[in-house]
Amino acid sequence: MTTKTNPFNVLGQLAALRRYARSLVRNPEDAEDLVHDTLVRALERKSSFRSDGSIRNWLLSILHNTHVDRLRRNRSLERRHREAGDIAELVSPAGQDHSVRLSQVREAFLDLPDDQREALHLVAIEELSYQEAATVLNIPMGTLMSRISRARASLRAMEGGEDEKAVPRLRIVGGNPDDQP
C-alpha cells in the first residue's frame, strides 16, 4: 500500500501486476517472468516516478510496455528464424564429389611455391589489383604477373586441362591422315 511516508511501495501492487500479466500472456510462468522484468525496470527507473502519482498506474504502464517489447522482440526473432529457414531450404549441402574436389584444389593451392601462392592469394582471394599486390610483395608488376600465370597454369594442370610439362604433340606432315596420333 502506498503511503505518504513510502510512495514507492511496489510490494503492495504485486497482486494487481500478476493479474494483469496473466491476462496478457495467459501463462503463469511467463506472467511471473513479466512481473519480475517489470519490477527490475521499475527499480532501475525509480527516479522517474513522481511521488504525487499513482504507483499502481506507473507499474501497470511499465508492465504493459515490457510486454509489448517482448512481443516485438519475439516477432522479430520468429521472422529471422523463418527467413533463415527459407534460405536453408535453398541451400543444400555439398555432395561428396564437390567436397573431395574442393579439398584437392585447396591442396594444390597450398602445394604451389610460396612466391606463386602469395601472388595468387593477394589477387584472387584478397581481390587486390595487380599493382597493389606488386606493392605489397615489393616486386615489379611483371614479376607478379609471371608468378600468377605460373600458379594458374599449375592449378589448371592439376585439373587435367593441360599438363604443365607436356611435350608438344608432333604432327606428321604429308603421308596418310589416319597415321596421325
Side-chain angles (χ1 to χ4, degrees), residues 5 12 22 31 34 36 39 58 97 110 147 152 158 164:
T5 59
R22 282 190 197 128
L34 183 57
H36 176 267
L39 294 175
W58 186 71
D97 292 342
L110 294 175
R147 289 177 183 178
R152 288 178 174 159
M158 184 270 315
E164 186 178 11

Side-chain angles (χ1 to χ4, degrees), residues 94-138:
Q96 184 176 2
D97 292 342
H98 180 74
S99 296
V100 168
R101 186 74 187 127
L102 187 59
S103 177
Q104 290 171 339
V105 169
R106 182 178 181 275
E107 287 300 316
F109 178 78
L110 294 175
D111 287 343
L112 289 171
D114 291 345
D115 59 343
Q116 292 177 18
R117 187 177 62 251
E118 292 166 355
L120 188 60
H121 178 91
L122 291 175
V123 171
I125 297 173
E126 299 302 328
E127 299 179 345
L128 269 58
S129 70
Y130 280 18
Q131 184 60 53
E132 292 168 329
T135 302
V136 167
L137 295 173
N138 197 25

Side-chain angles (χ1 to χ4, degrees), residues 5 7 26 28 40 53 60 70 82 95 131 159:
T5 59
R26 299 180 193 101
V40 169
L60 290 173
R70 283 179 168 195
R82 189 173 46 256
Q131 184 60 53
E159 288 188 4

Side-chain angles (χ1 to χ4, degrees), residues 11 36 68 112 166 178 181:
L11 294 179
H36 176 267
V68 169
L112 289 171
D178 295 330

Side-chain angles (χ1 to χ4, degrees), residues 20-154:
Y20 187 46
R22 282 190 197 128
S23 74
L24 291 175
V25 296
R26 299 180 193 101
N27 177 311
E29 292 83 20
D30 291 342
E32 283 300 317
D33 289 343
L34 183 57
V35 169
H36 176 267
D37 290 348
T38 299
L39 294 175
V40 169
R41 280 189 181 185
L43 290 173
E44 289 172 347
R45 294 175 177 88
K46 183 177 180 179
S47 62
S48 70
F49 174 67
R50 293 188 328 260
S51 59
D52 62 337
S54 167
I55 187 76
R56 180 177 180 202
N57 294 348
W58 186 71
L59 289 171
L60 290 173
S61 176
I62 292 174
L63 187 135
H64 177 79
N65 291 337
T66 302
H67 175 65
V68 169
D69 289 347
R70 283 179 168 195
L71 289 176
R72 287 181 183 146
R73 185 175 52 244
N74 289 342
R75 280 189 205 126
S76 175
L77 185 61
E78 287 173 9
R79 188 185 80 251
R80 284 192 305 256
H81 286 170
R82 189 173 46 256
E83 289 172 0
D86 292 345
I87 291 170
E89 289 175 5
L90 298 175
V91 176
S92 61
Q96 184 176 2
D97 292 342
H98 180 74
S99 296
V100 168
R101 186 74 187 127
L102 187 59
S103 177
Q104 290 171 339
V105 169
R106 182 178 181 275
E107 287 300 316
F109 178 78
L110 294 175
D111 287 343
L112 289 171
D114 291 345
D115 59 343
Q116 292 177 18
R117 187 177 62 251
E118 292 166 355
L120 188 60
H121 178 91
L122 291 175
V123 171
I125 297 173
E126 299 302 328
E127 299 179 345
L128 269 58
S129 70
Y130 280 18
Q131 184 60 53
E132 292 168 329
T135 302
V136 167
L137 295 173
N138 197 25
I139 58 174
M141 190 159 48
T143 303
L144 175 85
M145 293 170 67
S146 175
R147 289 177 183 178
I148 291 172
S149 176
R150 287 192 309 269
R152 288 178 174 159
S154 294

